[in-house]
Amino acid sequence: LARWLKSQSPRPRVLPLGGLESDNRLPSQGVVSLGGYHAAKLKVYEDVRARLFASGAPELRLARLFAAQWVVAPAPLGAGTLEAIGQLGLPVSSEPVWTGPDGAAYAVLDPLPRARVVSQVRTERPGEDTTGREPEPAVLDRVAEPGFDPSREVILSAAPDPLPQPGAERGSVETVEEGYNYWKLVVDLPAPGVLVVADPWYPHWRVRVDGESARLLRANYAQRAVALPAGRHEVEFRYAADDWVRGRQIAGLGWLLILAGFVVPPVLNRRRTSQGATEQS
């Protein structure tokens, strides 16, 4: 299943159902899962996840907000289940686009791109900057409403600068380079707009526009966004938490110590052997 998904998209993104909601096998193969489990959870995304997989009435339109391209399950889904998925906000193909021993995959109809430009903006609290505070549950309520269209609008933690203008959504977005904690894009806009990416927001993410630091905003309760002027821009997202950097440094030192443990003892033994031979002679 993972091999097929990666043959369809360089970074496939799925909504897992049927018991795969907390399964990490697909993420381990490079597939982005809107489910899965990790002990160190981001609260804002865990709030979204709780609604996506609620036992009563899951709000599956949030899967479209996070750019799900396929729904996957360990076995083909019945017609009634597929109809219910559509009624819950995520229309999918009536037949699986892939089936195999691992299960089945269904295509999301009209999926959102992972990175998109919008021109219609609302803020979490009008006239306030709430970026440094935890978002209120009411913001997620607004995002989950059937009338909210993430392809055209965004709810931000603060007013963007510059303010977006109509027509910005006709701009283009292209991935240039991507790593585990890095993403470089080229964005070409006919008018000022807001670039929204369907990846979880976290305070330690940083963004640079044309090589200069820019303001990273929280979007749609749990996503990242940056305001852009008209024109062609190079946008770089990078994760830069101090504790993460220290962890890499400590890990590097640990590897050096391990290497020293393999190299130093044989050198000392050879010296002792050489000294012993000299004394005997």
Side-chain angles (χ1 to χ4, degrees):
L1 175 57
R3 283 195 296 270
W4 179 84
L5 289 166
K6 290 194 289 185
S7 73
Q8 304 300 303
S9 170
R11 191 175 171 85
R13 185 167 294 215
V14 302
L15 174 70
L17 298 177
L20 298 180
E21 294 86 344
S22 296
D23 194 308
N24 285 333
R25 285 176 293 174
L26 283 174
S28 73
Q29 298 297 317
V31 175
V32 179
S33 172
L34 301 189
Y37 175 81
H38 197 287
K41 303 174 184 176
L42 296 178
K43 182 183 183 303
V44 289
Y45 186 73
E46 184 61 21
D47 293 341
V48 174
R49 189 181 180 281
R51 295 201 182 196
L52 268 176
F53 302 108
S55 57
E59 298 176 76
L60 297 186
R61 63 178 53 86
L62 293 175
R64 185 168 184 267
L65 177 74
F66 275 87
Q69 300 165 287
W70 291 277
V71 169
V72 296
L77 302 173
T81 300
L82 294 171
E83 182 179 356
I85 290 173
Q87 292 174 348
L88 291 168
L90 190 68
V92 296
S93 57
S94 58
E95 298 291 337
V97 293
W98 182 89
T99 55
D102 299 323
Y106 296 81
V108 173
L109 304 181
D110 191 26
L112 283 178
R114 181 180 167 207
R116 57 192 180 274
V117 177
V118 301
S119 60
Q120 298 180 27
V121 170
R122 291 184 279 169
T123 56
E124 293 180 355
R125 295 182 67 88
E128 293 187 35
D129 183 347
T130 59
T131 307
R133 306 202 301 263
E134 184 177 314
E136 299 174 352
V139 177
L140 189 52
D141 292 337
R142 292 161 63 188
V143 170
E145 290 175 354
F148 179 75
D149 183 358
S151 67
R152 303 176 61 184
E153 58 184 322
V154 63
I155 299 176
L156 297 175
S157 57
D161 182 20
L163 291 173
Q165 300 295 325
E169 61 277 0
R170 295 195 297 270
S172 63
V173 181
E174 178 186 358
T175 293
V176 175
E177 181 182 353
E178 185 172 8
Y180 187 67
N181 291 304
Y182 178 74
W183 191 15
K184 184 177 182 179
L185 304 161
V186 170
V187 185
D188 200 347
L189 302 180
V194 175
L195 174 67
V196 181
V197 299
D199 290 356
W201 175 87
Y202 195 66
H204 294 300
W205 278 97
R206 301 289 183 265
V207 61
R208 297 177 70 86
V209 177
D210 299 326
E212 300 292 332
S213 295
R215 178 88 186 278
L216 183 69
L217 299 173
R218 184 174 59 237
N220 299 331
Y221 190 84
Q223 297 180 333
R224 304 197 297 268
V226 61
L228 299 173
R232 185 176 177 87
H233 305 287
E234 187 177 88
V235 181
E236 299 172 274
F237 293 94
R238 186 184 299 274
Y239 187 76
D242 293 340
D243 50 357
W244 181 74
V245 173
R246 284 195 297 270
R248 291 189 62 183
Q249 293 171 341
I250 292 171
L253 177 60
W255 279 111
L256 288 176
L257 292 174
I258 291 172
L259 181 61
F262 283 103
V263 173
V264 173
V267 172
L268 293 177
N269 287 335
R270 282 197 296 270
R271 287 183 177 178
R272 293 192 188 101
T273 302
S274 176
Q275 290 174 353
T278 302
E279 291 174 357
Q280 290 176 3
S281 63

